[in-house]
Amino acid sequence: SAIKFYIDRLIKDYVAKPYDGPVRAVFGDYEHFGYMARTWARLIGEEAVFHIPEATHDSLFTEPAISQWMEVLAGELDLTISGSG
Protein backbone atom coordinates (compact mmCIF):
# COMPACT_ATOMS: atom_id res chain seq x y z
CA SER A 1 0.00 0.00 0.00
CA ALA A 2 1.01 3.63 -0.31
CA ILE A 3 1.17 4.03 3.48
CA LYS A 4 3.45 1.01 3.86
CA PHE A 5 5.72 2.34 1.11
CA TYR A 6 5.91 5.77 2.75
CA ILE A 7 6.58 4.36 6.22
CA ASP A 8 9.28 2.06 4.88
CA ARG A 9 10.99 5.06 3.26
CA LEU A 10 10.75 7.08 6.48
CA ILE A 11 12.28 4.46 8.73
CA LYS A 12 14.93 3.29 6.27
CA ASP A 13 17.32 6.06 7.28
CA TYR A 14 15.88 6.77 10.72
CA VAL A 15 18.37 6.65 13.55
CA ALA A 16 16.82 6.63 17.00
CA LYS A 17 18.42 8.87 19.57
CA PRO A 18 19.29 7.39 22.97
CA TYR A 19 16.54 7.66 25.55
CA ASP A 20 16.82 6.45 29.13
CA GLY A 21 13.12 6.36 29.95
CA PRO A 22 10.57 3.64 29.32
CA VAL A 23 8.84 3.44 25.94
CA ARG A 24 5.56 1.69 25.17
CA ALA A 25 3.62 1.43 21.92
CA VAL A 26 0.06 0.07 22.09
CA PHE A 27 -1.56 -1.67 19.14
CA GLY A 28 -4.79 -3.47 18.55
CA ASP A 29 -5.16 -6.97 17.20
CA TYR A 30 -1.84 -8.20 15.79
CA GLU A 31 -3.57 -9.59 12.72
CA HIS A 32 -4.68 -6.10 11.73
CA PHE A 33 -1.77 -4.06 13.14
CA GLY A 34 1.07 -6.52 12.68
CA TYR A 35 2.92 -4.45 10.11
CA MET A 36 2.79 -1.28 12.20
CA ALA A 37 3.75 -3.16 15.35
CA ARG A 38 6.73 -4.80 13.63
CA THR A 39 7.80 -1.40 12.28
CA TRP A 40 7.69 0.17 15.73
CA ALA A 41 9.41 -2.85 17.25
CA ARG A 42 12.34 -2.31 14.88
CA LEU A 43 12.61 1.27 16.14
CA ILE A 44 11.98 0.94 19.87
CA GLY A 45 12.47 -2.75 20.65
CA GLU A 46 10.10 -5.70 20.73
CA GLU A 47 9.67 -5.48 24.52
CA ALA A 48 8.12 -2.01 24.15
CA VAL A 49 5.27 -3.19 21.91
CA PHE A 50 2.04 -4.17 23.65
CA HIS A 51 -0.98 -5.73 21.92
CA ILE A 52 -4.64 -5.59 22.91
CA PRO A 53 -6.27 -8.70 21.44
CA GLU A 54 -9.45 -8.10 19.46
CA ALA A 55 -9.13 -4.29 19.55
CA THR A 56 -9.37 -2.02 16.55
CA HIS A 57 -7.69 1.38 16.37
CA ASP A 58 -10.92 3.10 17.42
CA SER A 59 -11.77 0.63 20.16
CA LEU A 60 -8.40 1.19 21.87
CA PHE A 61 -10.06 4.28 23.35
CA THR A 62 -13.18 2.54 24.68
CA GLU A 63 -13.80 -0.21 27.21
CA PRO A 64 -12.56 -2.85 27.71
CA ALA A 65 -9.40 -2.09 25.69
CA ILE A 66 -8.65 1.27 27.27
CA SER A 67 -8.52 -0.26 30.75
CA GLN A 68 -6.14 -2.95 29.49
CA TRP A 69 -3.55 -0.58 28.09
CA MET A 70 -4.03 2.05 30.79
CA GLU A 71 -3.14 -0.65 33.33
CA VAL A 72 0.13 -1.24 31.45
CA LEU A 73 0.79 2.52 31.30
CA ALA A 74 0.02 2.97 35.00
CA GLY A 75 2.48 0.19 35.83
CA GLU A 76 5.16 1.92 33.75
CA LEU A 77 4.48 5.23 35.47
CA ASP A 78 4.60 3.63 38.94
CA LEU A 79 8.01 2.14 38.13
CA THR A 80 9.31 5.45 36.81
CA ILE A 81 7.99 7.54 39.72
CA SER A 82 9.27 5.11 42.34
CA GLY A 83 12.68 5.04 40.67
CA SER A 84 12.51 1.32 39.96
CA GLY A 85 12.25 1.68 36.20
Side-chain angles (χ1 to χ4, degrees):
S1 76
I3 293 172
K4 180 183 178 306
F5 176 76
Y6 183 73
I7 290 171
D8 284 343
R9 285 185 59 208
L10 282 176
I11 67 168
K12 179 182 173 196
D13 298 317
Y14 177 80
V15 178
K17 295 179 182 177
Y19 176 72
D20 292 332
V23 175
R24 184 66 69 176
V26 178
F27 294 92
D29 183 9
Y30 196 83
E31 181 179 336
H32 297 106
F33 297 101
Y35 171 76
M36 291 299 295
R38 286 189 303 275
T39 299
W40 275 101
R42 290 190 334 235
L43 297 174
I44 63 175
E46 186 67 39
E47 69 281 354
V49 175
F50 179 74
H51 288 278
I52 306 289
E54 300 179 20
T56 65
H57 179 75
D58 291 337
S59 70
L60 285 174
F61 302 97
T62 61
E63 292 298 346
I66 195 167
S67 290
Q68 293 173 20
W69 70 265
M70 291 301 272
E71 184 176 330
V72 171
L73 179 59
E76 296 285 342
L77 292 173
D78 286 345
L79 288 175
T80 302
I81 291 169
S82 70
S84 302

